[in-house]
Amino acid sequence: PGSGKSELVAFLEQRRERACIDSKNIHPSKDLPVISRFERILIIDYDSITQQELSFCSGKGDGSNDVDLDPPNISFDNNDLEAWRKSRVKALESLKDALITHFTSGDNASSLLILMDDNFHLRSMRRDVYRTCQEIIAMPLTGITDHSQTKIGFSSVYLSTPMEVCLQRNDLRSGKERIPVDVINRMASAMEPPDETKPYASFERFHVSIDNSDDNFDADVYMK
């Protein structure tokens, strides 16, 4: 929390929209960012799914009435935990549905970028996403006779934002968007950065690390 992951996702979406406009005047292979090469983009936001699940299981709504609460008054109960667990299943289901639709829509020659917006602090969480992609590749799909057509690229973006910066940003949040410090500390201690040399982690050979201390996502190095 506070590393800037959701801000990065929003930036990429905005950058692509701007690139689509610029593509009319700029040679795409030379000057446009990589993100512009994708014809469609889909964002799967775990936090949004969690809020939806929370409204179903507890009747608390979307959390909009919690903005006046500040620690130590904020607490996370069993409903929050259950909603979080369900969100992880729902997110993978959304990923699977999106990929199946993409490959069976008759327009699978187009390019689709799916951004999974979550902390993914454990390698097993990222592996679940990778395995879902593998399942789609191996799955018999309507209208697909040549499985070489079902190609999926997988990569992780690791935001190595300093802990003190994350805590400062978290302090500026309100309601349940402000995560308890002890939760952030536990997540930081358990953090498993992408590392393809670890056991059963070869799927992480494609990853990039970004230090988002200054919120400067517009730097050219992030877009190439």
Side-chain angles (χ1 to χ4, degrees):
S3 64
K5 59 182 180 57
S6 296
E7 287 79 3
L8 174 59
V9 169
F11 168 76
L12 291 174
E13 184 178 32
Q14 294 169 3
R15 186 63 180 261
R16 180 189 170 276
E17 291 175 354
R18 189 167 73 235
C20 289
I21 297 175
D22 294 341
S23 64
K24 299 178 180 179
N25 303 313
I26 303 176
H27 193 285
S29 63
K30 181 179 180 181
D31 299 306
L32 289 179
V34 171
I35 191 96
S36 66
R37 300 176 188 174
F38 296 93
E39 296 170 85
R40 293 187 296 132
I41 184 171
L42 171 66
I43 298 172
I44 298 179
D45 184 347
Y46 280 65
D47 287 344
S48 295
I49 298 174
T50 299
Q51 287 301 320
Q52 293 171 5
E53 290 300 318
L54 186 59
S55 67
F56 294 147
C57 69
S58 68
K60 291 182 179 179
D62 60 3
S64 59
N65 294 325
D66 295 333
V67 294
D68 60 332
L69 298 178
D70 286 315
N73 298 322
I74 293 177
S75 63
F76 291 83
D77 55 26
N78 290 334
N79 285 327
D80 294 291
L81 180 58
E82 183 65 17
W84 178 82
R85 288 171 174 166
K86 288 183 177 180
S87 73
R88 311 208 67 77
V89 176
K90 290 282 188 178
L92 293 179
E93 290 176 350
S94 296
L95 171 62
K96 183 178 293 187
D97 291 343
L99 289 173
I100 291 175
T101 299
H102 173 67
F103 288 121
T104 60
S105 64
D107 189 30
N108 59 314
S110 66
S111 54
L112 169 66
L113 174 64
I114 301 179
L115 299 174
M116 308 290 287
D117 184 357
D118 184 57
N119 290 308
F120 289 117
H121 58 291
L122 300 180
R123 183 166 293 107
S124 59
M125 296 175 174
R126 304 191 293 273
R127 186 181 292 113
D128 286 341
V129 177
Y130 181 76
R131 284 177 173 169
T132 299
C133 295
Q134 285 185 310
E135 290 175 9
I136 297 301
I137 292 176
M139 181 183 298
L141 298 174
T142 303
I144 302 295
T145 56
D146 182 3
H147 276 274
S148 65
Q149 299 178 50
T150 54
K151 295 181 179 180
I152 302 174
F154 179 90
S155 180
S156 299
V157 178
Y158 173 57
L159 294 174
S160 56
T161 308
M163 183 68 163
E164 60 270 19
V165 175
C166 295
L167 291 175
Q168 289 170 3
R169 293 172 179 168
N170 185 63
D171 284 342
L172 298 175
R173 297 174 174 177
S174 302
K176 285 195 173 181
E177 289 188 357
R178 183 185 295 185
I179 307 301
V181 174
D182 64 312
V183 173
I184 296 179
N185 285 330
R186 288 200 301 270
M187 291 181 67
S189 298
M191 178 67 70
E192 297 176 330
D195 185 352
E196 68 275 19
T197 66
K198 296 294 184 179
Y200 309 106
S202 60
F203 70 95
E204 294 193 308
R205 62 184 179 276
F206 297 113
H207 66 268
V208 61
S209 179
I210 298 175
D211 180 350
N212 180 35
S213 300
D214 54 5
D215 284 322
N216 186 24
F217 288 130
D218 207 19
D220 289 341
V221 66
Y222 299 155
M223 293 295 101
K224 296 180 179 179

